[in-house]
Amino acid sequence: MGVVLLKNLFAYGQPTGAGIIASPSKAYDDHRSPFGEKGGHCSRVTATSLSSGDLESQPSTGRQTPTSPNPPCNSKSWIRGAWTALTGFRPTPRMISDAIIGLADGMTVPFALTAGLSSLGSTRIVQLGGVAELIAGMISMGVGGALGAKAESDGFKAKMSDTLKLVLGSSADAVDLVHETLNPFGFDLGQRNAISDQLRQSSDKMVDFLIRFHYQEKEPDSSRPWSCGLTIGLGYGVGGLIPLIPYFCVGVHQVFLALYISIGVMAVTLFLFGYFKTVLLAEQDREKSTWKAFKGGLWMMGLGGGSAAVAVGAVYGIQMASPALEH
């Protein structure tokens, strides 16, 4: 029985006691607990079926027949599907998160800077200052993202090393952690002992179990640091270039015309960005997700507009205070 339980455990990606079997397909990418269930399907199983080994006939993907006749509607699936169909590339949730971070900063910080520099009355100043900030921001954001991902990878390696030392040095403590992990999910003492006995036969399996289910960690991709830095940096560059373009399309002294065009373009861009960002990350049904996405668009537009207003006010304040400071 212990072999059957352990096989099901690793095949399905989560404990299966007298409770539920849930699809683990997004448990790691979305950084949810592998025991949790958020918006997926699940089917009931009994302790009897576990003991008899019936679960060995289940598909290895861990996907079960939904008990609900109305599966939840995923409002973001059509966007990802359209992107995959057009480009042939399917971004991971982590890449989407990195791109959102870069775009969000890129569309607020440079926009605020260019709006503030516009009060100086020259598009040339805005162009030079905006490009310099854009390049510096891309480098800074990219390096910061890469270092953060590297630290995440180092943290996982340290956790693996500590867990291995625990397993090799004190198997009793490791078994206690296994029981602690399984206890809330309906396993009786015999089942927990059976699984523990099987895990103790292999230190690698014991470490894998504790990392995946007790600490709920996933090994980062080896390419994560550079892909994270590149995605965030490029996102910042693309987002920051949008409010800067109008200043290259008008005369030197038409800075306020460029500012008004930039404000209009950014109002639409920020709203669309906030809207689709919320759609991609939302978990609610389509109707609730649409309303939440609309509020997300308004929030992003207000955030960018408020940042620009503060920047313009700060520059005007400095200009007004300059004559007084000179005297």
Side-chain angles (χ1 to χ4, degrees):
M1 184 180 71
V3 176
V4 174
L5 289 173
L6 194 59
K7 178 179 177 181
N8 290 323
L9 182 67
F10 282 95
Y12 288 94
Q14 65 182 52
T16 55
I20 65 171
I21 300 176
S23 172
S25 59
K26 294 189 65 183
Y28 297 123
D29 286 340
D30 290 349
H31 294 279
R32 299 188 191 97
S33 164
F35 310 127
E37 179 68 13
K38 189 172 183 180
H41 304 301
C42 60
S43 61
R44 307 295 298 184
V45 296
T46 64
T48 304
S49 65
L50 285 169
S51 302
S52 61
D54 293 340
L55 289 178
E56 291 192 77
S57 62
Q58 297 290 343
S60 61
T61 58
R63 298 185 181 278
Q64 302 297 320
T65 303
T67 57
S68 170
N70 299 315
C73 176
N74 193 340
S75 61
K76 59 190 176 184
S77 60
W78 67 273
I79 296 178
R80 291 180 176 173
W83 173 265
T84 303
L86 290 173
T87 64
F89 172 72
R90 185 177 181 84
T92 65
R94 296 300 296 272
M95 292 181 67
I96 294 175
S97 176
D98 292 338
I100 287 174
I101 292 173
L103 285 169
D105 279 357
M107 286 194 294
T108 51
V109 178
F111 177 44
L113 175 67
T114 54
L117 293 178
S118 297
S119 60
L120 299 178
S122 172
T123 57
R124 186 63 176 169
I125 295 176
V126 178
Q127 293 169 4
L128 294 176
V131 170
E133 194 282 333
L134 195 60
I135 295 174
M138 288 178 62
I139 296 174
S140 175
M141 293 289 293
V143 170
L147 291 177
K150 181 65 166 57
E152 180 183 350
S153 178
D154 292 342
F156 177 82
K157 292 177 181 178
K159 177 65 71 175
M160 283 284 292
S161 177
D162 292 342
T163 305
L164 180 59
K165 291 178 182 178
L166 173 69
V167 171
L168 296 178
S170 178
S171 59
D173 290 341
V175 168
D176 288 341
L177 292 180
V178 173
H179 281 255
E180 179 183 334
T181 304
L182 298 175
N183 187 51
F185 297 95
F187 289 93
D188 58 37
L189 181 60
Q191 292 172 331
R192 296 199 302 270
N193 286 332
I195 292 177
S196 300
D197 292 340
Q198 289 294 323
L199 290 173
R200 291 175 67 178
Q201 297 179 16
S202 170
S203 60
D204 290 339
K205 287 186 177 180
M206 178 67 82
V207 171
D208 187 26
F209 175 88
L210 294 177
I211 289 293
R212 292 172 60 186
F213 300 117
H214 183 74
Y215 299 114
Q216 299 176 22
E217 299 276 355
K218 180 191 176 184
E219 182 177 6
D221 194 323
S222 59
S223 63
R224 172 68 182 154
W226 70 262
S227 65
C228 176
L230 186 63
T231 303
I232 292 179
L234 289 177
Y236 188 92
V238 171
L241 188 62
I242 296 174
L244 197 57
I245 291 177
Y247 294 93
F248 288 94
C249 301
V250 299
V252 176
H253 302 293
Q254 294 180 306
V255 63
F256 288 104
L257 174 61
L259 174 62
Y260 298 146
I261 296 175
S262 180
I263 291 175
V265 170
M266 288 306 299
V268 175
T269 304
L270 287 168
F271 177 82
L272 292 177
F273 173 74
Y275 183 92
F276 286 106
K277 173 181 70 70
T278 308
V279 168
L280 285 172
L281 300 179
E283 296 291 346
Q284 290 81 8
D285 59 72
R286 185 179 297 274
E287 182 177 351
K288 292 182 179 179
S289 178
T290 300
W291 171 240
K292 187 176 181 180
F294 182 79
K295 292 193 294 184
L298 292 179
W299 168 258
M300 197 68 199
M301 187 169 60
L303 179 64
S307 301
V310 170
V312 172
V315 174
Y316 270 118
I318 293 173
Q319 283 183 315
M320 294 178 62
S322 294
L325 294 174
E326 290 177 0
H327 295 290

